[in-house]
């Protein structure tokens, strides 16, 4: 499809209430005409994590204003929009439902088509919006709830090469910040505290490196960190600023090393499976905002002969422009939902991949 489309995107699957207008051709890159984000950090910071009930209520209260602002900023009304894209999962059910109800109301009132977007597809397709990256490419999606390597083959065709069998790295950053009293969200706080710290003072585990695959595990890291913290506290009666910096730097190094080693293996697997001669690796998700991790992945890409695409930070973390973009590509490819579309708290991108260990009775998370 060679013509321009303009799509309104709505995102409310976690703790960001967001709406955006994106236009462009489905081949990319896209233009972000407007992007409004109402972060909920303040509402959750006292709890050390997102409280689903508080999040859902805040989304429901703010979504319509957010959409209004996105349209106003774009200088548009709903009549200028070709389709409405909404995150339909995976995520916190209350938030996803708030977004879907808002989108359904807009679609019903305006007669515009609605496209149910997988939040992870939003992240995975971001480099097409920002850089016009061509299919196929390798993607490391690394956020607060997810961590997986994907072959991205088309707007709705993803093959999972491997992923975490327990915690996501973002979760590990958030728990580390909580253990060290650094506040929420933990990622930026730990990264800031790690600056100037000694990354080799503590040797935290790099799990599953003995396995040849691209699966990862991060849940043991917080236990190791807690032990190191408790030992220091019992020896010295507390943590000095330098101890805190060294703990954060050593933790961050463990995450970066694990992701880098597994990315190296994912590169080999990608080439083996696609036979693609000019491969690219892209990163997205909140943890991709981390400079140490970005740098480690850049080095892997250089060594493996991959080009490296790291979208601007504002499109790595949750926002509605990436949802609008995924909706734009999928709508152009003929996808459309009806007004009965359900919220899907669990929605794996690659439905053919085996569920990851630890996904539990509720089924595969991603
Ligand atoms: O993609 P995202 O905005 O939300 C979802 O999880 O979908 O990712 C949020 C996660 C949080 O766990 C946050 O602590 C982490 O990304 N994060 C970071 C950094 N900035 C955000 N982790 C490490 N370093 C950062 N600079
Ligand atoms: Zn996300």
């Amino acid at each position: 499809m060679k013509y321009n489309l303009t799509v309104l995107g709505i995102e409310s699957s976690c703790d960001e209430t967001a709406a955006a207008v994106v236009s462009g051709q489905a081949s990319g890159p896209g233009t972000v005409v407007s992007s409004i984000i109402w972060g909920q950090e303040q509402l959750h910071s006292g709890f050390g994590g997102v409280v689903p009930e508080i999040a859902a209520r805040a989304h429901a209260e703010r979504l319509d204003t957010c959409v209004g602002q996105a349209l106003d900023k774009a200088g548009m009304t709903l009549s200028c929009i070709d389709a409405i894209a909404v995150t339909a999962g995976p995520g916190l059910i209350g938030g996803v439902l708030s977004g879907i109800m808002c989108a359904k109301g807009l679609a019903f009132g305006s007669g515009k088509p609605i496209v149910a977007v997988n939040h992870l597809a939003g992240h995975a397709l971001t480099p097409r919006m920002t850089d016009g990256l061509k299919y196929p490419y390798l993607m490391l999606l690394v956020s607060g709830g997810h961590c997986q390597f994907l072959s991205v083959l088309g707007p709705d065709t993803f093959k999972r090469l491997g992923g975490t069998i327990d915690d996501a790295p973002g979760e590990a950053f958030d728990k580390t910040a909580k253990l060290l009293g650094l506040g929420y969200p933990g990622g930026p706080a730990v990264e800031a505290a790690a600056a100037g710290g000694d990354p080799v003072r503590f040797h935290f585990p790099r799990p599953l490196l003995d396995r040849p695959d691209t699966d990862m595990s991060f849940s043991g890291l917080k236990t190791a960190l807690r032990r190191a913290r408790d030992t220091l506290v019992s020896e010295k009666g507390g943590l000095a600023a330098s101890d805190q910096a060294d703990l954060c730097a050593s933790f961050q190094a463990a995450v970066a090393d694990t992701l880098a080693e597994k990315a190296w293996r994912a590169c080999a697997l990608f080439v083996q499976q696609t036979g693609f001669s000019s491969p690219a690796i892209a990163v997205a998700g909140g943890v991709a905002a981390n400079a140490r991790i970005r740098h480690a992945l850049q080095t892997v890409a250089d060594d493996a002969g991959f080009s490296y695409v790291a979208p601007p930070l504002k499109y790595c973390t949750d926002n509605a422009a990436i949802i609008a973009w995924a909706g734009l590509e999928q709508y152009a490819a003929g996808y459309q939902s009806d007004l009965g579309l359900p919220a899907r708290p669990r929605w794996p991108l690659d439905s053919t991949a085996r569920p990851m260990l630890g996904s539990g009775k509720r089924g595969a998370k991603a």
Side-chain angles (χ1 to χ4, degrees):
M1 206 184 262
K2 287 255 185 291
Y3 53 84
N4 259 336
L5 289 168
T6 300
V7 173
L8 170 70
I10 295 174
E11 158 62 34
S12 57
S13 63
C14 191
D15 59 348
E16 250 90 37
T17 312
V21 175
V22 170
S23 70
Q25 294 180 8
S27 52
T31 303
V32 180
V33 187
S34 65
S35 178
I36 306 292
I37 304 176
W38 285 25
Q40 300 182 358
E41 280 88 1
Q42 281 166 306
L43 297 179
H44 304 290
S45 60
F47 301 94
V50 180
V51 183
E53 184 56 32
I54 294 175
R57 213 170 295 167
H59 287 307
E61 279 167 10
R62 292 172 172 181
L63 269 165
D64 52 350
T65 313
C66 217
V67 168
Q69 287 179 347
L71 288 170
D72 283 352
K73 201 162 172 214
M76 291 181 186
T77 61
L78 272 183
S79 60
C80 312
I81 299 291
D82 293 297
I84 298 163
V86 61
T87 300
L92 300 173
I93 182 76
V96 175
L97 273 172
S98 303
I100 286 182
M101 296 313 288
C102 174
K104 284 182 182 177
L106 293 170
F108 185 70
S110 65
K112 298 290 178 180
I114 187 167
V115 184
V117 170
N118 184 312
H119 178 84
L120 303 173
H123 282 306
L125 299 177
T126 302
R128 297 203 20 99
M129 176 181 85
T130 56
D131 294 77
L133 190 59
K134 301 287 173 244
Y135 297 120
Y137 55 90
L138 174 63
M139 158 67 64
L140 170 59
L141 204 151
V142 62
S143 71
H146 303 279
C147 182
Q148 50 190 311
F149 291 104
L150 295 163
S151 272
V152 185
L153 308 169
D156 191 36
T157 317
F158 307 92
K159 190 165 169 30
R160 197 184 67 210
L161 304 179
T164 181
I165 61 168
D166 42 50
D167 289 358
E171 213 172 332
F173 269 95
D174 293 335
K175 285 175 181 166
T176 294
K178 202 172 176 185
L179 283 169
L180 299 178
L182 291 172
Y184 174 85
V190 171
E191 183 173 17
D198 177 359
V200 295
R201 174 164 165 205
F202 302 97
H203 188 77
F204 293 134
R206 275 91 169 137
L208 303 194
L209 291 193
D210 54 326
R211 273 170 44 172
D213 57 28
T214 53
D215 287 344
M216 293 160 278
S217 162
F218 296 98
S219 67
L221 256 176
K222 63 174 182 297
T223 315
L225 185 116
R226 185 191 289 118
R227 271 204 209 107
R229 178 202 67 175
D230 291 348
T231 307
L232 285 170
V233 170
S234 67
E235 280 170 9
K236 302 161 100 179
L239 290 183
S242 62
D243 295 328
Q244 206 168 44
D246 294 347
L247 284 168
C248 287
S250 301
F251 162 83
Q252 190 173 257
V255 177
D257 286 356
T258 305
L259 288 173
E261 177 55 34
K262 293 290 181 168
W264 175 254
R265 294 177 199 180
C267 286
L269 202 56
F270 178 81
V271 170
Q272 190 189 321
Q273 288 187 355
T274 62
F276 198 52
S277 58
S278 53
I281 179 169
V283 284
V287 180
N290 183 285
R292 173 92 159 67
I293 291 170
R294 281 166 95 92
H295 178 73
L297 294 169
Q298 166 89 65
T299 306
V300 169
D302 292 347
D303 292 349
F306 276 54
S307 53
Y308 179 60
V309 181
L313 299 187
K314 63 182 173 183
Y315 298 127
C316 280
T317 48
D318 285 354
N319 65 90
I322 61 171
I323 304 305
W325 173 260
L328 187 154
E329 274 207 55
Q330 291 176 358
Y331 180 63
Y335 291 83
Q336 201 175 310
S337 309
D338 60 41
L339 288 179
L341 77 92
R344 301 180 63 178
R346 291 182 173 246
W347 184 2
L349 265 186
D350 178 356
S351 55
T352 65
R354 67 184 162 75
M356 302 300 296
L357 258 177
S359 58
K361 289 185 191 142
R362 286 177 294 167
K365 196 172 169 191

